[in-house]
Amino acid sequence: MAHHDPIGLIAPNSGLAQLNERSREIFRQIVESYLATGEPVGSRNISRLISVPLSPASVRNVMADLEQLGLIYAPHISAGRLPTELGLRFFVDALMQVGDLTEPERQSIQAQLSSVGRAQSVEAALGEALTRLSGLTRAAAVVLTAKSNVRLKHLEFVRLEPERALVILVAEDGQVENRVLTLPAGVPASALTEASNFLNARIRGRTLAEARLELETLLTQDRAELDALTQKVISAGIASWSGGDGEERQLIVRGQANLLEDLHALEDLERVRLLFDDLETKRGVVDLLGRAERAEGVRIFIGSENKLFSLSGSSTIIAPYSDGAGHIVGVLGVIGPTRLNYARVIPMVDYTARVVSRMLGG
């Protein structure tokens, strides 16, 4: 289910895979303690938590080995230990057991989205999904979607100048978008009317991407019923429906306030401030989420594995979602501190993406 960028942090000969059971259990306790509290944990506490009876001195010896492998570190001279980013990646990939959602959690996500349904815009439904996801995970939830995912209702050409026209696109949810179009020389009003009629008979209920694909096919088949100038108007209209450029991408963020909860120190506050700055720099977030559109299933980026969040030390858990035709049309997930509850958040992101896909599929 979960994938991550192949960044080569965990080399086969690094010794991580050869950790014995005792070392793994001690390491697991350090990570799980960190994920639960955010605090370093010392050898005395670990010796009480592990199932195999070991003295604090023996635990310290194992911790020294784990530190040498780069899995844990000491934030202060006399403190306990915390997992490094490499340690968190090893934990997520090799040791963690991903949980499953409870039936009430599934029903809650499903019901929340069903209540929005198709009566409102896709954007409203995605916003509702994010609100629910951020509430359940106590992190910031994000979605990257194409503006062209709205379903079309009507189109009209309005001439502005002899060789320029306004294309008015009206969506089923009431959104209106205007685009200026360059017309071929000598286009009569009748060609604009004919082009509008031809398009309106075929675009209703389709997204821009779906409409563009179908119309490009139709234009190669139906040339006989359209005169040359009308064909050019339609082709120019289709060409203006780019649908995939950066400015056509829409980023929605919900639940940033969750990141202000449970702060333990001034350093935590500074990390959250940096994360807020990162989220404001939407271009970077769009690029990061866009990388997940090319993969199936959940993807996990921990800390500096993505340059965007290297300063704030944040983790991102994201999954793509699809439309009714099975095409990936966006990505959703959560962004939060590296001590996210991965085992709980991963199935939530995965399930929410599946519910959104079903909803978009009608």
Side-chain angles (χ1 to χ4, degrees):
M1 180 199 292
H3 304 276
H4 66 276
D5 271 355
I7 55 173
L9 276 177
I10 301 177
N13 61 354
S14 65
L16 304 188
Q18 281 72 48
L19 287 181
N20 61 34
E21 202 53 47
R22 183 177 67 176
S23 300
R24 283 173 178 249
E25 186 173 3
I26 289 171
F27 174 65
R28 184 194 296 277
Q29 289 296 344
I30 293 170
V31 175
E32 289 182 347
S33 175
Y34 164 72
L35 295 180
T37 69
E39 300 289 344
V41 61
S43 55
R44 190 170 298 278
N45 280 337
I46 289 178
S47 68
R48 296 191 192 110
L49 292 169
I50 56 177
S51 56
V52 181
L54 278 180
S55 68
S58 298
V59 172
R60 276 195 297 276
N61 288 336
V62 174
M63 288 168 76
D65 293 339
L66 294 171
E67 195 163 356
Q68 199 167 11
L69 281 169
L71 296 177
I72 62 174
Y73 73 102
H76 309 291
I77 293 171
S78 60
R81 299 296 184 270
L82 292 173
T84 62
E85 287 180 3
L86 172 62
L88 284 173
R89 168 56 67 193
F90 178 57
F91 174 79
V92 167
D93 286 351
L95 300 181
M96 182 183 72
Q97 291 185 319
V98 176
D100 200 4
L101 298 186
T102 64
E103 195 52 39
E105 285 170 338
R106 288 172 182 267
Q107 289 175 358
S108 173
I109 294 170
Q110 183 80 51
Q112 204 82 17
L113 289 179
S114 298
S115 67
V116 178
R118 298 305 286 269
Q120 295 184 40
S121 68
V122 170
E123 184 181 335
L126 290 171
E128 194 62 54
L130 291 194
T131 300
R132 193 78 203 120
L133 191 56
S134 69
L136 288 168
T137 60
R138 310 312 301 162
V142 292
V143 71
L144 178 68
T145 185
K147 288 181 182 177
S148 57
N149 286 343
V150 296
R151 298 197 173 271
L152 298 168
K153 180 181 180 182
H154 180 74
L155 172 148
E156 193 171 341
F157 290 102
V158 178
R159 190 191 295 275
L160 299 174
E161 297 170 6
E163 294 186 7
R164 289 174 78 226
L166 191 67
V167 188
I168 303 171
L169 296 166
V170 182
E172 286 185 344
D173 62 7
Q175 291 185 54
V176 178
E177 187 173 336
N178 300 323
R179 303 186 184 191
V180 177
L181 185 68
T182 301
L183 295 174
V187 170
S190 60
L192 292 180
T193 303
E194 188 179 0
S196 296
N197 292 339
F198 180 86
L199 292 169
N200 282 321
R202 293 159 176 82
I203 66 169
R204 191 181 182 99
R206 289 180 168 80
T207 66
L208 273 179
E210 291 168 351
R212 186 174 67 241
L213 193 64
E214 176 158 339
L215 290 167
E216 284 169 350
T217 305
L218 284 172
L219 275 180
T220 61
Q221 298 170 349
D222 296 351
R223 290 188 177 275
E225 71 175 73
L226 297 167
D227 65 45
L229 284 174
T230 302
Q231 287 177 31
K232 287 180 179 177
V233 171
I234 293 169
S235 296
I238 294 170
S240 75
W241 303 348
S242 56
D245 297 338
E247 65 271 14
E248 293 297 321
R249 311 295 273 157
Q250 185 169 230
L251 179 71
I252 308 169
V253 184
R254 294 283 189 277
Q256 294 100 312
N258 291 332
L259 300 171
L260 294 170
E261 296 177 1
D262 200 24
L263 297 179
H264 292 273
L266 283 174
E267 306 95 84
D268 286 351
L269 188 59
E270 177 63 10
R271 276 197 294 273
V272 169
R273 188 189 67 75
L274 288 168
L275 177 53
F276 278 9
D277 289 346
D278 291 336
L279 289 173
E280 286 299 311
T281 313
K282 292 192 173 183
R283 178 74 262 166
V285 183
V286 167
D287 289 344
L288 169 68
L289 298 185
R291 287 159 66 187
E293 287 186 322
R294 296 187 288 276
E296 292 182 10
V298 180
R299 301 197 74 186
I300 305 159
F301 301 89
I302 297 175
S304 58
E305 288 179 10
N306 70 77
K307 291 177 183 176
L308 176 66
F309 296 133
S310 58
L311 287 176
S312 60
S314 305
S315 285
T316 312
I317 300 174
I318 41 184
Y321 60 89
S322 310
D323 62 12
H327 302 128
I328 291 174
V329 291
V331 180
L332 62 79
V334 301
I335 297 173
T338 51
R339 65 182 199 88
L340 281 170
N341 186 338
Y342 297 92
R344 174 175 159 80
V345 173
I346 289 168
M348 283 186 174
V349 168
D350 182 58
Y351 185 70
T352 303
R354 291 171 191 270
V355 172
V356 168
S357 295
R358 285 202 297 271
M359 184 186 71
L360 294 180

